[in-house]
Amino acid sequence: MKKKIMSDETRKGMIQMLIIAAAIIVVLIIFNVILDGLLLRPKNLMTVWAGCVANTIAAVGFVILFSGNITDLSPGGVIILAGTVTGIVGNAAGIVPMVICGVLIGVGCMALNFTVYRFSKVPPWITGLGMLMVYESITMKYSEIQAAHGQSTVVINDDVRVLGQKPAIYICWGVAIVIAYIYFNHTSLGIKYRAAGENEAVTKIMGINVNKALILGGVVAGAFFGFAGVIKECYNTFIIPQSGMTSLSTIFQPMAAALLALALASMINVVLAIPIAAFIIGLIFNILTMFGVPSGTLTDFCLGVVVIAFAALAQRGVKGVVK
């Protein structure tokens, strides 16, 4: 009797993935025809790809958080703070120090978040919102000091923003995906983190230090958020400080990408699904732009619908209400 080359579940997943891919391609072709061939031009696709690199890297951070059953909405403030530090350090010391400092800001912020929530027993989403306001306040204070001296928010110099330009930005995208793939699939750090997030009681019985596993997972997520801040600063040349939790709006696209990636995880490795999801999100808003939809209320409405829809897809098969 011949052995099955692949399980029925794997075959079903592949069929579903092919159907989804075919549907997406058909939709894109239709919109490309409507837009007189502008959508699928290589130049436009490369521009969309470059524009979603920071969101892709941030989405990796969110997938890490969600895989540990953690809901933290502070990354918007973390990314803005990391981007601001990136500009300051980059102009003063160059590319390598700015990358290190940007990543360390992300690591430090998320390590602080996880430490506070683990030892204070305050739910992570509440801790995250509180820390979000702290991070926003820091960047706003910096902005106020700059304004008092007649200066604006830091604008990164052209000679050090190479990571936000082609082809370096694509290389950064690839490096981030490779590191994320290794972390998720080939490190005990990633396995212990997901195990701790899934069931703390069982994880403790296995002899794993739950607090350590979760905090280290938060550190890894922070590294990706910090690097996203670096890329965002280099790509945009500056990041506007925000207050009153308005930085939440900056994380909806990467969050939507993370949720879509989790929805696709049953059909494809979640890390490989992240860049696909982020690119799809980028294309959605590229289409809206080509149709002349102004940024603001209508695009925010569309983004809200996308986030809810992908969240529903990600939670298929989960019984009860997800907290």
Side-chain angles (χ1 to χ4, degrees), residues 295-306:
S295 59
T297 304
L298 187 54
T299 53
D300 289 344
F301 170 81
C302 294
L303 183 55
V305 171
V306 167

Side-chain angles (χ1 to χ4, degrees), residues 144-314:
E144 290 172 3
I145 293 173
Q146 289 290 94
H149 290 82
Q151 299 175 340
S152 62
T153 304
V154 62
V155 176
I156 194 167
N157 296 335
D158 288 338
D159 58 332
V160 291
R161 60 180 294 256
V162 61
L163 297 183
Q165 299 173 321
K166 306 170 187 178
I169 193 169
Y170 302 128
I171 296 173
C172 291
W173 176 89
V175 169
I177 296 302
V178 169
I179 293 174
Y181 186 86
I182 293 171
Y183 167 75
F184 268 92
N185 300 290
H186 299 289
T187 67
S188 61
L189 188 65
I191 295 171
K192 289 178 180 179
Y193 171 77
R194 293 196 298 277
E198 184 70 25
N199 193 316
E200 288 192 22
V202 174
T203 304
K204 288 179 181 177
I205 294 174
M206 293 170 61
I208 297 174
N209 186 320
V210 173
N211 285 335
K212 180 180 178 181
L214 289 174
I215 292 173
L216 288 177
V219 164
V220 176
F224 283 100
F225 290 133
F227 191 43
V230 173
I231 299 301
K232 197 175 186 71
E233 174 75 15
C234 291
Y235 184 75
N236 296 327
T237 70
F238 68 92
I239 296 179
I240 300 174
Q242 299 184 42
S243 62
M245 296 195 291
T246 54
S247 62
L248 283 171
S249 62
T250 66
I251 64 171
F252 287 142
Q253 286 197 40
M255 185 185 294
L259 292 169
L260 178 56
L262 291 171
L264 298 174
S266 62
M267 296 171 275
I268 186 175
N269 185 285
V270 67
V271 177
L272 301 180
I274 293 171
I276 295 172
F279 189 70
I280 291 172
I281 299 295
L283 279 175
I284 290 173
F285 287 92
N286 182 244
I287 291 171
L288 290 175
T289 300
M290 286 186 168
F291 275 116
V293 178
S295 59
T297 304
L298 187 54
T299 53
D300 289 344
F301 170 81
C302 294
L303 183 55
V305 171
V306 167
V307 170
I308 294 173
F310 291 162
L313 286 173

Side-chain angles (χ1 to χ4, degrees), residues 82-99 101-102 154-157 159-161 233-234:
T84 301
V85 172
T86 293
I88 296 171
V89 176
N91 289 344
I95 297 174
V96 175
M98 83 173 184
V99 173
C101 288
V154 62
V155 176
I156 194 167
N157 296 335
D159 58 332
V160 291
R161 60 180 294 256
E233 174 75 15
C234 291

